[in-house]
Amino acid sequence: MKYEIFSSDSNVITFSSFGTLKTQLNHIKHPLFYSNCCYCNTTQSSFITETKATSCDIRKTLARMEDSIDHLAFERNKAQFDVDEMKIVWAGSRQDFELSDRISRLVASDPAFRKDDRTTLGRKELFKNTLRKAAYAWKRINELRLNEQEAYKLRSFVDQPAFTDLHWGMFVPAIQGQGTDEQQQKWLPLAYRMQIIGCYAQTELGHGSNVQGLETTATFDPKTDEFVIHNPTLTSSKWWPGGLGKISTHAVVYARLIIGGEDHGVHGFIVQLRSLDDHLPLSGITIGDIGMKFGNAAYNTMDNGVLRFDHVRIPRNQMLMRVSQVTREGKYVHSNVPRQLVYGTMVNVRQKIVADASVALSRAVCIATRYSAVRRQFGSHNGGLETQVIDYKTQQARLFPLLASAYAFRFVGEWLKWLYMDVTKRLQANDFSTLPEAHACTAGLKSLTTTATADGIEECRKLCGGHGYLCSSGLPELFAVYVPACTYEGDNIVLLLQVARYLMKTVSQLGSGNKPVGTTAYMARVEQLMQYHSDVKKAEDWLKPNVVLEAFEARAARMSVACAQNLSKFTNPEEGFQELAADLVDAAVAHCQLIVVSKFIEKLQQDIPGKGVKKQLEVLCSIYALFLLHKHLGDFLSTGCINPKQGSLASEQLRNLYSQVRPNAIALVDAFNYTDHYLGSILGRYDGNVYPKLYEEAWKDPLNDSVVPDGFKEYIQPMLKQQLRNARL
């Protein structure tokens, strides 16, 4: 029995068994097309002839083979670097890679964690599914005796917002950071064993970013040695805490501490919400879910809640008292623990958000890149293949900067993790010198990376054309899950204004002996930077790290100085800050973009093993920096850092860099090492077998359970059967 396949380059593959064919197909460098098979796959084109087998035999056999063929193999064969080594660079270390790889495959192989049906479930069914998965995940964590890091990875790869997110991510850390030793000994063992389930109740119906404006009160009653927690207004209702609506038994509640009529500001309190026997709300507590949120599935798997207190009493020792305390006599005192330690927790939370940004953006980029290589449109001549969408320069100019951004955010996230550990060590030694800079830095990078990631996910959806709008693409849900990051833990514009205040303070202190530190160290050279003019003469000059870095430093310094000069014209500084807010935000963005560029450059100064790995990272670093320069060209020109000709040369070099990324694009997203389960996208399948799977998925929709839809007889059939008569005027 003999078969032949003709490839697009007119070569002929002859084979005697389909096992042999599969091996050959996975290694061929030219696209194929099974035009006479059961699938018409536009990623590939060929003709099949047979000498003894029937066409039906071939169609059936190739249909079975479709699932096992790597339709992107010809792209992967183009890679100019060691993909396995790049996977380790992305993961951070070989140990981290092996951990993530092991846990992600553990989750992907377990049918209990399937998620392809999420977007078709109703709210109640969806939420119950979340409870089932969370309980099963906890069971597996205990059965496998996973450590804290392994358990965290498992929950993240389950990839479904759940009440456990706030329990482990906010409730436990709040007690760890703000509770006394005695409070930690009492509450943490219960939380670690999940004998209590906690949430973080800070945001209110009327106040979010303005924490100092919270209205919930905690009034000390010296007669009973208790605090009375109360919501005096509708707007003081706690609103949004995840896990609160239906599951949490306890909460860390933030309220204004009132002693003898005196307001001592906002403090944290551990409050039990529900009975541990029947799960009913305790007396004086009104609690529920706030309703459906944006998107299919997404955060609708989470019971974000509303909470109201009507003079609820708790023992005095349930105020978190590591930093400040209330004595039995009702005296408010500060402990010997510095208040600045509270900010250490904030730095930690925000550095994790930056790390999460790189993950979310890389997922979207992986989907869009793979699909861009699969999808073909236009460009066909004489019946030949159409052009791969990824080969269009417009597609590259939109996609490759996002690919570079994913890597950039990954590396700045690594640095932020180091910064958090450094700040923690300093705080424990009562060294608070780097805390203000670290606070401003993490606030700014949280804002920058989450905004860019949310926008990037949406751009990736557009890059996938109409199919990107399907829930089965994975992109609509990914966007809906991620976009709240632009608001929680600080609204992004508010955070940038905090960065701007720090920059204005830094500028005001120049020359006073207070030398700028850390990410603002470049400000010490402000006089030099104010005189800087780029000496770029040819496009290749923009590949020099020092040339790029100086341009970004000069731009950031000049924008901050300009804002400071304009602020000085106002007699009332706060009035000036309000008036110049938009300019101050732009200055903060310039400063934060400089940080990301500089940390990418610093990463490249390290020893990076693996054939071609460092070269690819250098290309991505240049793309990230030059894309920002191109996008914000007005800043660079208006501040005089570069001239129009140099801006044109940067754009020219950027186009050249896209051509260098093109043959490596699929391998660069493969380096993320995401399972198909975690990506949750038919368009982003590792094997590129998109169209048959999209077709199969469509028939799984509940609307296709019946040929004639419910409601047809009641509403549509009468219209079709109506007798039309000519009206008489």
Side-chain angles (χ1 to χ4, degrees), residues 122-195:
R123 178 76 199 284
K124 285 188 175 182
E125 193 176 9
L126 183 67
F127 182 63
K128 187 175 181 180
N129 186 43
T130 303
L131 304 188
R132 177 187 61 78
K133 283 187 180 179
Y136 181 73
W138 180 242
K139 178 174 176 283
R140 294 297 288 150
I141 287 168
N142 287 306
E143 288 175 345
L144 298 172
R145 298 184 178 181
L146 301 185
N147 60 34
E148 184 177 343
Q149 187 180 15
E150 291 170 327
Y152 171 79
K153 286 289 185 182
L154 186 142
R155 287 190 294 268
S156 66
F157 284 124
V158 170
D159 190 37
Q160 186 158 318
F163 63 91
T164 50
D165 297 350
L166 272 290
H167 175 83
W168 294 108
M170 297 298 289
F171 180 74
V172 169
I175 296 173
Q176 289 172 331
Q178 300 172 45
T180 62
D181 291 342
E182 293 78 7
Q183 289 173 325
Q184 292 181 26
Q185 290 168 10
K186 176 181 178 180
W187 296 103
L188 290 179
L190 297 172
Y192 289 151
R193 294 192 296 267
M194 295 202 77
Q195 291 175 309

Side-chain angles (χ1 to χ4, degrees), residues 456-509:
I457 295 170
E458 170 61 6
E459 186 69 5
C460 285
R461 185 193 65 78
K462 294 174 184 175
L463 286 165
C464 291
H467 292 336
Y469 195 65
L470 286 169
C471 285
S472 58
S473 76
L475 292 166
E477 186 178 6
L478 179 60
F479 178 76
V481 166
Y482 189 76
V483 76
C486 296
T487 306
Y488 62 60
E489 287 306 305
D491 173 83
N492 281 356
I493 296 300
V494 173
L495 291 180
L496 288 174
L497 289 171
Q498 291 179 10
V499 176
R501 286 189 185 276
Y502 177 74
L503 291 175
M504 294 304 97
K505 183 178 179 180
T506 300
V507 172
S508 71
Q509 293 177 341

Side-chain angles (χ1 to χ4, degrees), residues 193-239:
R193 294 192 296 267
M194 295 202 77
Q195 291 175 309
I196 62 172
I197 298 172
C199 65
Y200 190 83
Q202 178 173 293
T203 300
E204 295 178 353
L205 189 57
H207 289 90
S209 296
N210 182 16
V211 176
Q212 297 309 312
L214 296 180
E215 299 176 83
T216 303
T217 58
T219 305
F220 182 63
D221 183 352
K223 296 179 181 178
T224 60
D225 195 26
E226 293 173 320
F227 289 110
V228 181
I229 313 295
H230 184 60
N231 293 116
T233 63
L234 178 67
T235 52
S236 68
S237 304
K238 294 299 178 183
W239 192 273

Side-chain angles (χ1 to χ4, degrees), residues 14 28 92-93 95 102 160 200 215 270 295 373 414 457 518 538 543 593 605 624 638 664:
T14 303
I28 194 168
S93 70
Q95 181 180 359
R102 173 168 55 88
Q160 186 158 318
Y200 190 83
E215 299 176 83
I270 300 175
E414 284 182 3
I457 295 170
K538 56 184 185 298
L543 297 178
Q593 289 175 342
Q605 293 169 351
Y624 180 73
S638 64
N664 298 287

